[in-house]
Amino acid sequence: MIRLLVVGGFLGAGKTTLINRLLARAERRFAVLVNDFGSVAVDAALLAAADASSMTLANGCVCCSIGDDFGLALERVAAGGPELVVVEASGVSDPWRIAQLALVEPGYELGPLVVLADAADLPRLLADPAIGDVVRGQLAYADIVVLTKTDLAGERLVQTREVVRTIRPQAHVIEARHGEVGLAELDFAVPHERARFLATAAHPFRTWTWRDPRPFDRGALRALLGALPASVLRIKGFCGLDEEAGDFLLQYAAERWSFTRSGAGAERALVVIGTQALDPAYLAADFAAALR
Amino acid sequence: MAVRVYSARRVVTMDATTPEATHVAVRDGRILGAGGPELLGFYPGAVEDARFAGKVIVPGFVEGHAHASEGMVWRRPYLGFFDRTMPDGSTAPGARTRADALERLRTLEAELPPGEPLLVWGFDPIYDDGPRLHRRDLDAISTSRPIVVSHASGHIINVNTLVLERSGFSADSNLDGLLRDADGLTGELMGPPAMQRATRVAGGGGLMQRLDEPGLRAFARQAARAGITTATDLQRKLDDETLDLMRRVTAEPGFPMRLVAALGAREYTLAEGVARIGQLLGTGNEKLHLGIVKLTVDGSIQGFTGRLRWPGYHNGAPNGMWYIAPAELEGIVAAYLRVGAQIHIHTNGDEASAVAIDALEHVLARCPRPEHRTTLQHCQMADAAQFRRMAALGMAANLFVNHIYYWGEQHAALTAGPVRAPRMNAAATARREGVPVAIHSDAPVTPLGPLFAMWCVVNRLTSKGRVFAPAERLDVAQALHAVTLGPAWTLRLDHAIGSIAPGKFADFAVLEDDPFDVAPERLREIDVHATVVGGVVCLP
């Protein structure tokens, strides 16, 4: 499955700078989908080929315009077999609306929703009557918030961290002084399996895996998904449902979820990613109660 | 060239010096003058043309906000409530009841070759008090063929279960934009991500395809039938291929319409758009006007994506969307004004209008530009104070008065609410505060029809017969101005079209009845007999 990373944030938050740096450094072979194709500045030395709506880099990365239909763009870019697709949401759009489509887009799995915020300007934007609601909405489902321009923020940095915590307490907040963020930091960094509950500052997220071959009761599973604690950020994996033959692929993110029939063959297991407040004992009891 | 003098029952000129006449003299596609029979004596060899003797001649109507896709939507079957005329002149009958609509779908389905999706548009359930259309209704028509029913508002689709399955949407998907009931998904989808996905897997692209030659010709036929002699295509990617088509077709002497093609800013980055419009300025012809750029600031009110000021949406829906961020607009306006473009800004909600007015005010304070004629398109919720600022800044308003009829009841119930809905499209206030006013159809959103728009603004009736704010009605003369000289001014073409005066193009609408004689509630029933464009007669 191709991991999909959605990067949102209001105008001026530094999305384009971040994307340009990720492309220039390219730790993995990935594709970028952007709204404003003209703003992507790729060093000519890195460029292998380009046309009106896409660029191919010597390091194997591609950058494409989203165009009119986001789903179509995802389908096209998947054909190139990237390891990861990064989508830059437009500065006035709600990145979460885009991200949740990845829950049903065949071949994709939803990585974290990353929202950038100008550390020096965020409190002012939130107080603006015309756009405060838009900026708040962008942060409302973020898994990772990247504070940019922290060197310019001075004492406002404290206030900015406070408003982010108020809007989205679950989000992991990182600081990027000059857009210097590695791709690895923009994913759910979790410790190795053996030490998975020894979360450290380097591992802001926890993971826990539910393994049980028995099927769930469909209604009970839906109810469970509708009432998960806020510490659960993602669930992904395969499970059985009722007495139906075969497996279902379950994807959950921020109160939205989808299970679709799967080609099967995989182990029945659900991987849960959450904040450090994730409580496996509590979840295990809930999952067990939802079994058929 | 010979002088031709048309005689008519009455000629309404919209020209203050000679407001009324019975004859109009034409040479070389232009107007020599309007007056009485004495005109024949002024020009030796003049020929009297009495073919419009019993008719009423008014200036050719100017549609200041439409889309050429009006010529193309008819390639898909229409499932709307109202009868509409298709480009070939035949009537696409309205489906008055749910049963009619389903029967129409059943017939269409039976006629389609196997494997092809059934894609229809224009469905308008707001006149239907029954339960909402459900996937079960569509499954009864076909379970093996994808069915997509697009609503007239453009913001909702209904699909059958097959399309849901192919989209990966089921009762097991809890995503935004999927309507559900106790039985799972209803098949009604809202919002671009879900709608685009379902339409794509069903095998149907969007309705707004690239403009092609048959589409442009059909658009002109539709316009001519409505008495329109100049129409805008107000949001277009003006690439070389599209422009070549427009230049070639409009240059034909018999092409029955002047076309105003506005560059859609959202199709370009700012730098590209500014460069493109700079290349286009002054490169049109007598029947192709270029140099307008269209900016879109917010969404639509009935789709809850328009940006409203306090107290927001009556039903408590969250405020709408910015397509351009308020802080960005000033820079965009400045860049386009500096290159010499004329700017038309789509603002539906009053918060969007406020932002557009602010942006223009800031730009003009730094770089004054006389006669910029920046026009707010739709501008449906502007109040007196906003209109006063618009007048002071030299702006115009092209109001979407057809909304009063088509969506007025919905605005009262859900969007603006019972107090603000009747105040929408306040044409009389705009005029009183000194704002040049035009009215429009936004075809294909509502049908092309200046006489219908006049009827809307003169009567202000909703589809249920309620009157919305009679104090905001225009009289017939003012309404006629709002479909002729008014929009001509907003397009910077009032020197050439919009009234019957010496030197202007001989563009006329020839009507069967006199709009000043018929009862106001019958304005929309007046038939268009013909149009004249540059002296060439076009019979619909």
Side-chain angles (χ1 to χ4, degrees):
Chain A
M1 285 194 134
I2 304 168
R3 219 162 156 68
L4 184 79
L5 192 72
V6 177
V7 178
F10 201 68
L11 297 147
K15 297 187 297 297
T16 305
T17 305
L18 179 83
I19 300 268
N20 283 336
R21 298 227 167 138
L22 291 179
L23 277 172
R25 281 195 303 242
E27 298 152 27
R28 296 159 69 185
R29 207 170 67 80
F30 65 99
V32 179
L33 291 173
V34 296
N35 276 290
D36 184 357
F37 190 64
S39 70
V40 179
V42 171
D43 191 332
L46 285 175
L47 201 62
D51 60 32
S53 62
S54 76
M55 287 187 281
T56 306
L57 277 61
N59 59 26
C61 293
V62 292
C63 178
C64 307
S65 165
I66 293 176
D68 296 332
D69 186 335
F70 173 62
L72 187 62
L74 280 182
E75 199 177 283
R76 282 201 187 121
V77 82
E83 293 174 45
L84 178 78
V85 172
V86 179
V87 179
E88 181 192 0
S90 96
V92 286
S93 72
D94 178 356
W96 172 234
R97 280 194 82 93
I98 292 175
Q100 51 177 296
L101 260 196
L103 299 178
V104 290
E105 192 65 41
Y108 279 92
E109 63 172 348
L110 182 60
L113 175 55
V114 178
V115 177
L116 273 59
D118 180 336
D121 206 26
L122 187 68
R124 186 191 66 81
L125 291 175
L126 286 167
D128 186 320
I131 54 171
D133 61 327
V134 174
V135 176
R136 193 174 302 271
Q138 290 176 340
L139 289 165
Y141 297 100
D143 297 302
I144 297 173
V145 174
V146 180
L147 298 181
T148 58
K149 306 180 192 176
T150 48
D151 45 328
L152 304 174
E155 294 183 354
R156 262 170 298 173
L157 183 58
V158 176
Q159 195 193 350
T160 297
R161 281 185 161 274
E162 189 53 42
V163 294
V164 170
R165 189 160 43 240
T166 308
I167 295 170
R168 182 64 173 166
Q170 303 95 314
H172 171 52
V173 179
I174 54 181
E175 292 182 20
R177 214 157 262 274
H178 300 286
E180 292 298 337
V181 182
L183 203 46
E185 291 177 77
L186 301 181
D187 211 333
F188 291 118
V190 290
H192 294 298
E193 186 83 351
R194 226 156 33 98
R196 63 184 186 253
F197 296 120
L198 301 173
T200 65
H203 299 127
F205 301 101
R206 282 187 158 185
T207 182
W208 169 72
T209 306
W210 162 264
R211 285 194 179 84
D212 196 315
R214 288 175 290 171
F216 286 104
D217 177 86
R218 189 182 232 118
L221 181 60
R222 284 186 196 157
L224 177 149
L225 293 172
L228 284 169
S231 57
V232 176
L233 300 174
R234 291 286 182 285
I235 302 176
K236 205 206 96 187
F238 298 94
C239 61
L241 285 181
D242 295 340
E243 275 148 26
E244 293 189 42
D247 296 325
F248 288 80
L249 169 64
L250 167 66
Q251 291 210 64
Y252 168 94
E255 298 156 42
R256 292 287 175 268
W257 42 264
S258 170
F259 22 103
T260 47
R261 203 164 263 294
S262 144
E267 184 198 4
R268 284 184 175 178
L270 299 176
V271 178
V272 180
I273 294 171
T275 66
Q276 297 198 21
L278 189 75
D279 182 348
Y282 173 96
L283 284 179
D286 273 7
F287 277 93
L291 288 173
R292 185 156 179 84
Chain B
M1 278 285 280
V3 174
R4 186 173 292 269
V5 178
Y6 292 102
S7 55
R9 167 154 50 120
R10 186 181 181 208
V11 179
V12 179
T13 65
M14 301 308 285
D15 171 51
T17 314
T18 312
E20 268 201 54
T22 52
H23 292 68
V24 53
V26 173
R27 193 185 72 196
D28 301 330
R30 288 165 178 255
I31 296 162
L32 286 164
E38 73 281 359
L39 281 179
L40 280 159
F42 293 173
Y43 308 101
V47 179
E48 179 168 6
D49 188 329
R51 73 176 103 179
F52 303 138
K55 319 290 182 195
V56 175
I57 296 179
V58 299
F61 297 133
V62 180
E63 172 50 273
H65 188 154
H67 301 277
S69 50
E70 166 67 17
M72 304 172 73
V73 287
W74 303 99
R75 294 170 195 179
R76 288 184 183 169
Y78 166 75
L79 199 70
F81 178 82
F82 300 96
D83 291 355
R84 283 178 73 160
T85 308
M86 294 192 282
D88 67 2
S90 63
T91 298
R96 294 293 166 144
T97 63
R98 175 67 57 82
D100 281 356
L102 294 175
E103 186 52 42
R104 179 94 34 89
L105 285 173
R106 205 165 289 121
T107 310
L108 289 165
E109 202 278 333
E111 290 165 355
L112 267 186
E116 266 189 39
L118 176 56
L119 311 163
V120 300
W121 70 283
F123 182 61
D124 211 345
I126 65 173
Y127 307 100
D128 181 344
D129 294 327
R132 301 180 79 90
L133 189 65
H134 197 276
R135 65 189 159 85
R136 278 190 300 267
D137 300 319
L138 301 179
D139 290 345
I141 288 154
S142 180
T143 52
S144 59
R145 184 195 298 283
I147 302 179
V148 179
V149 176
S150 303
H151 289 221
S153 68
H155 301 284
I156 301 175
I157 60 174
N158 282 91
V159 300
N160 61 352
T161 304
L162 179 67
V163 175
L164 288 177
E165 283 170 358
R166 289 195 185 170
S167 303
F169 300 148
S170 71
D172 294 333
S173 0
N174 173 27
L175 308 176
D176 290 342
L178 310 181
L179 266 69
R180 52 178 63 239
D181 62 12
D183 289 343
L185 299 186
T186 67
E188 186 168 332
L189 312 180
M190 303 175 77
M195 287 166 57
Q196 283 174 354
R197 178 177 176 76
T199 308
R200 180 161 50 92
V201 300
L207 285 171
M208 293 283 201
Q209 307 108 317
R210 165 181 281 279
L211 181 64
D212 58 22
E213 185 168 339
L216 179 56
R217 291 189 187 283
F219 179 43
R221 273 198 301 281
Q222 291 288 71
R225 195 169 286 122
I228 294 163
T229 53
T230 298
T232 47
D233 181 19
L234 205 68
Q235 158 74 35
R236 181 64 59 188
K237 182 168 189 177
L238 292 175
D239 53 22
D240 288 343
E241 192 183 326
T242 302
L243 270 172
D244 288 348
L245 167 70
M246 289 175 168
R247 290 186 203 285
R248 178 167 53 79
V249 172
T250 55
E252 292 171 10
F255 185 68
M257 189 183 85
R258 293 181 209 281
L259 177 67
V260 179
L263 179 116
R266 67 174 184 223
E267 311 287 341
Y268 298 87
T269 65
L270 180 58
E272 286 167 357
V274 168
R276 186 60 174 164
I277 199 115
Q279 291 166 355
L280 301 184
L281 285 169
T283 66
N285 61 46
E286 284 195 347
K287 292 214 309 250
L288 177 63
H289 180 66
L290 301 167
I292 292 178
V293 63
K294 161 91 171 288
L295 309 179
T296 305
V297 171
D298 68 343
S300 77
I301 298 168
Q302 74 274 26
F304 300 99
T305 51
R307 288 291 310 196
L308 273 54
R309 292 190 298 189
W310 188 90
Y313 285 98
H314 183 64
N315 69 349
N319 209 343
M321 290 168 59
W322 295 109
Y323 291 126
I324 294 174
E328 270 189 318
L329 187 60
E330 186 179 328
I332 296 170
V333 167
Y336 278 110
L337 272 187
R338 203 173 295 129
V339 78
Q342 199 215 342
I343 304 179
H344 285 237
I345 310 178
H346 161 121
T347 65
N348 260 313
D350 48 3
E351 189 177 47
S353 296
V355 161
I357 296 166
D358 285 347
L360 186 71
E361 182 180 302
H362 294 154
V363 172
L364 292 179
R366 279 189 289 119
C367 38
R369 185 164 284 272
E371 289 272 80
H372 57 87
R373 302 193 191 183
T374 302
T375 300
L376 295 190
Q377 291 287 348
H378 304 324
C379 193
Q380 295 202 71
M381 300 182 75
D383 62 6
Q386 290 191 328
F387 284 129
R388 277 192 288 278
R389 291 186 66 200
M390 290 172 67
L393 291 167
M395 302 173 79
N398 193 346
L399 301 174
F400 201 172
V401 293
N402 290 17
H403 254 258
I404 298 167
Y405 181 71
Y406 285 107
W407 287 287
E409 293 291 340
Q410 202 181 22
H411 288 318
L414 299 171
T415 67
V419 171
R420 286 177 300 166
R423 302 172 69 93
M424 288 169 69
N425 292 293
T429 294
R431 277 188 66 102
R432 200 165 45 241
E433 301 299 349
V435 177
V437 170
I439 56 180
H440 68 271
S441 72
D442 198 11
V445 177
T446 72
L448 276 178
L451 286 160
F452 181 83
M454 284 177 65
W455 174 86
C456 285
V457 80
V458 166
N459 294 285
R460 294 184 67 88
L461 284 167
T462 71
S463 59
K464 289 194 171 157
R466 260 206 287 178
V467 178
F468 269 8
E472 293 297 346
R473 285 172 170 159
L474 298 188
D475 66 28
V476 172
Q478 292 167 338
L480 186 57
H481 191 275
V483 296
T484 53
L485 265 182
W489 193 89
T490 70
L491 304 173
R492 288 210 279 217
L493 288 173
D494 56 309
H495 61 288
I497 59 172
S499 64
I500 298 175
K504 287 190 157 186
F505 289 127
D507 291 2
F508 313 131
V510 184
L511 309 179
E512 295 286 354
D513 286 303
D514 189 336
F516 292 88
D517 278 353
V518 303
E521 60 273 18
R522 287 197 49 232
L523 274 171
R524 62 174 172 173
E525 296 164 28
I526 294 176
D527 284 325
V528 174
H529 173 73
T531 57
V532 179
V533 179
V536 178
V537 175
C538 170
L539 292 168

